[in-house]
Amino acid sequence: DVKVTQSSRYLVKRTGEKVFLECVQDMDHENMFWYRQDPGLGLRLIYFSYDVKMKEKGDIPEGYSVSREKKERFSLILESASTNQTSMYLCATSWGSHYEQYFGPGTRLTVT
Amino acid sequence: LAKTTQPISMDSYEGQEVNITCSHNNIATNDYITWYQQFPSQGPRFIIQGYKTKVTNEVASLFIPADRKSSTLSLPRVFLSDTAVYYCLELTGTASKLTFGTGTRLQVTL
């Protein structure tokens, strides 16, 4: 079974803090994704990566950056957290862009 | 906001067939439609994927009409444990052009 783990299930940060969310997968998948999920808006793609050190912006990249130094690890960075970044963050992986995605359990981030 | 729309909620009795439809915009011939299931406090889980006509697996069927303006997830016989939120996903071109639907909350009762 594919295992996708996220560094925290719940996180509380203050406005202006730098926040790191980490995702690790154990199946050698090429693609990794970061989404945020908000009530009434569904899942929205923030960034994805198709290889080490490669990244592409999704629908809502503003206020976020990502890092992929190793194939199994994909980090989402909030340089200066704001209250409107309070959300559920989901990481996913897949073999390729047209293959099914495997999701992690999510990190519920609250910015106060 | 997501451009791909779904009914907000649906109710069903156990044992019935359930069809959930997703409305799409500008889906090309080779663009994929995928459906996911999500339980509370979990990430979405893959159900089925296809790009044309009809696909069936052990748990569901996916119908995509010729005009490609919609797709329908069909669950042939639902159980209480199928109570969840169901999302369609359209993938147009590269992975950076993927769009999730707004989600349909399915409630199954006895």
Side-chain angles (χ1 to χ4, degrees):
Chain A
D1 277 353
V2 175
K3 191 167 184 183
V4 182
T5 57
Q6 296 184 226
S7 47
S8 305
R9 290 302 302 270
Y10 300 94
L11 206 53
V12 180
K13 296 291 182 180
R14 293 194 180 276
T15 302
E17 279 192 85
K18 189 169 186 175
V19 181
F20 292 88
L21 302 181
E22 194 164 70
C23 177
V24 179
Q25 52 110 348
D26 67 354
M27 279 300 291
D28 203 35
H29 283 177
E30 300 292 335
N31 288 10
M32 296 187 75
F33 307 80
W34 275 108
Y35 297 90
R36 63 177 284 176
Q37 183 173 30
D38 301 287
L41 297 177
L43 288 87
R44 293 177 292 167
L45 180 65
I46 304 172
Y47 268 99
F48 89 99
S49 168
Y50 53 91
D51 202 349
V52 174
K53 298 189 187 295
M54 307 303 288
K55 62 185 179 185
E56 280 198 29
K57 294 179 180 179
D59 288 331
I60 51 165
E62 297 79 18
Y64 303 95
S65 61
V66 290
S67 172
R68 193 167 181 200
E69 297 296 320
K70 294 184 178 181
K71 193 173 186 179
E72 68 271 18
R73 197 176 298 265
F74 191 35
S75 300
L76 180 69
I77 303 154
L78 288 67
E79 294 290 341
S80 178
S82 63
T83 54
N84 63 13
Q85 292 179 308
T86 291
S87 186
M88 171 67 81
Y89 290 88
L90 290 158
C91 173
T93 75
S94 71
W95 288 111
S97 59
H98 289 86
Y99 288 83
E100 66 184 271
Q101 295 185 32
Y102 295 84
F103 284 82
T107 296
R108 185 166 296 282
L109 172 67
T110 301
V111 183
T112 62
Chain B
L1 291 177
K3 301 180 285 292
T4 305
T5 58
Q6 302 176 228
I8 293 174
S9 63
M10 297 180 70
D11 295 312
S12 178
Y13 292 109
E14 197 173 50
Q16 288 188 325
E17 176 181 306
V18 170
N19 296 309
I20 305 174
T21 298
C22 181
S23 297
H24 302 285
N25 296 312
N26 300 317
I27 298 297
T29 304
N30 294 324
D31 290 337
Y32 280 79
I33 305 297
T34 312
W35 282 82
Y36 289 84
Q37 176 191 55
Q38 187 178 26
F39 297 111
S41 301
Q42 295 184 22
R45 186 174 65 177
F46 173 86
I47 302 172
I48 195 166
Q49 177 178 267
Y51 67 97
K52 64 178 180 180
T53 318
K54 180 182 176 182
V55 176
T56 297
N57 63 19
E58 61 275 11
V59 298
S61 294
L62 171 60
F63 300 92
I64 302 173
D67 66 7
R68 302 181 70 75
K69 293 186 183 299
S70 66
S71 65
T72 298
L73 171 71
S74 181
L75 304 173
R77 186 182 170 91
V78 295
F79 297 93
L80 293 175
S81 57
D82 293 318
T83 294
V85 180
Y86 292 82
Y87 290 96
C88 61
L89 167 66
E90 53 185 57
L91 177 59
T92 56
T94 69
S96 65
K97 301 297 182 189
L98 56 83
T99 303
F100 274 92
T102 48
T104 298
R105 185 174 301 277
L106 173 65
Q107 179 70 51
V108 181
T109 56
L110 290 174

